[in-house]
Amino acid sequence: MSESSFARFGREYVPGDVLFREGDSGDVMFVIQSGAVRITKSVAGEDKVLAVLGPGEFVGEMAILNGKPRNATATVSEPSRCLVIDAWKLGTMLQRDAEIALRLLKKLAKRLDAANSLVEILMHRDPKARVMLALARHAEAFGEETSEGIRLRSSPADIAREVDVEQEIVDGVMARLRRLKLLSYGPPAPAAIVVTDMRRFRDFIEFLDMPQKFGGES
């Protein structure tokens, strides 16, 4: 996006800025140009992290499309630049550019897959498996490709809250995955989680899950 376009439709945000809150009415959506936005939902009085979205992602489009209140809260987690689009502008863009409409549909389908995946993860009886599956979910649905692997924008604490697992268990699982060189901590933040090899990581999860599928213990 050119600087002139950003001057017309863009805004800059700092960590802690709230783009919208759960329950708010919504007449604008956001396209993240740089930075990251954390999406949370209140469940039983606790905020659960549904996703941490980065550049190229849409935020808040559902309130425009279905006319219902916001179903989650969006909070800026890294210095960010976003394109702010109102309902009229979105309608015009979708009518004029089929590629934009297709991209939006693909994003919505990907979000639905990620939501269904989270439901399946929460039904898993093994807390360690829930942690590994959650890491895989964040890597595949919201991760950023880097030279070191797929960087997650979610923190270990986010993962623990998301799948209802004690922080100690999350730390133990991640330590084991680091020893197996399936996980590392990398830039830009010292604590950024990086899945070093997504294929091997998925193979490892399937290997551990085999005993359970055949009636044994994982």
Side-chain angles (χ1 to χ4, degrees), residues 196-207:
T196 57
D197 188 324
M198 195 66 230
R199 182 186 61 80
R200 285 186 59 230
F201 189 53
R202 270 296 181 188
D203 288 346
F204 180 69
I205 293 174
E206 291 180 10
F207 171 75

Side-chain angles (χ1 to χ4, degrees), residues 37-50:
V37 175
R38 176 177 277 103
I39 308 300
T40 59
K41 186 173 183 63
S42 179
V43 179
E46 182 180 5
D47 287 339
K48 301 286 188 180
V49 178
L50 303 181

Side-chain angles (χ1 to χ4, degrees), residues 21-41:
R21 297 186 186 278
E22 184 176 354
D24 288 350
S25 59
D27 56 2
V28 298
M29 62 174 286
F30 305 83
V31 181
I32 305 171
Q33 299 294 305
S34 64
V37 175
R38 176 177 277 103
I39 308 300
T40 59
K41 186 173 183 63

Side-chain angles (χ1 to χ4, degrees), residues 1-13 31-34 80-84:
M1 182 175 60
S2 68
E3 287 300 318
S4 59
S5 295
F6 187 83
R8 292 178 61 195
F9 304 111
R11 289 190 60 183
E12 295 185 351
Y13 299 92
V31 181
I32 305 171
Q33 299 294 305
S34 64
S80 300
R81 289 160 58 95
C82 297
L83 184 65
V84 183

Side-chain angles (χ1 to χ4, degrees), residues 164-205:
D164 291 321
V165 172
E166 296 293 332
Q167 186 68 51
E168 182 179 355
I169 294 177
V170 175
D171 293 340
V173 169
M174 292 182 60
R176 182 184 182 188
L177 293 173
R178 291 199 303 274
R179 288 195 296 271
L180 293 171
K181 300 188 184 303
L182 295 173
L183 211 67
S184 67
Y185 285 135
I193 304 170
V194 177
V195 177
T196 57
D197 188 324
M198 195 66 230
R199 182 186 61 80
R200 285 186 59 230
F201 189 53
R202 270 296 181 188
D203 288 346
F204 180 69
I205 293 174

Side-chain angles (χ1 to χ4, degrees), residues 14 17 33 63 114 139-140 147 152-153 160 196-197 201:
V14 298
D17 283 349
Q33 299 294 305
E140 292 172 336
S147 58
L152 279 63
R153 294 182 174 86
T196 57
D197 188 324
F201 189 53

Side-chain angles (χ1 to χ4, degrees), residues 48-49 114 117-139 152 155-156 158-167 169-171 173-174 176-177 201-202 204-206 208-209 212 218:
K48 301 286 188 180
V49 178
S117 176
L118 179 56
V119 172
E120 293 178 3
I121 291 169
L122 292 173
M123 293 175 64
H124 207 294
R125 64 184 182 182
D126 183 352
K128 294 180 180 178
R130 292 206 300 273
V131 173
M132 288 187 286
L133 289 168
L135 289 168
R137 170 182 176 268
H138 279 267
L152 279 63
S155 69
D158 291 336
I159 298 295
R161 288 193 296 269
E162 178 181 294
V163 296
D164 291 321
V165 172
E166 296 293 332
Q167 186 68 51
I169 294 177
V170 175
D171 293 340
V173 169
M174 292 182 60
R176 182 184 182 188
L177 293 173
F201 189 53
R202 270 296 181 188
F204 180 69
I205 293 174
E206 291 180 10
L208 293 180
D209 201 36
Q212 186 179 91
S218 62

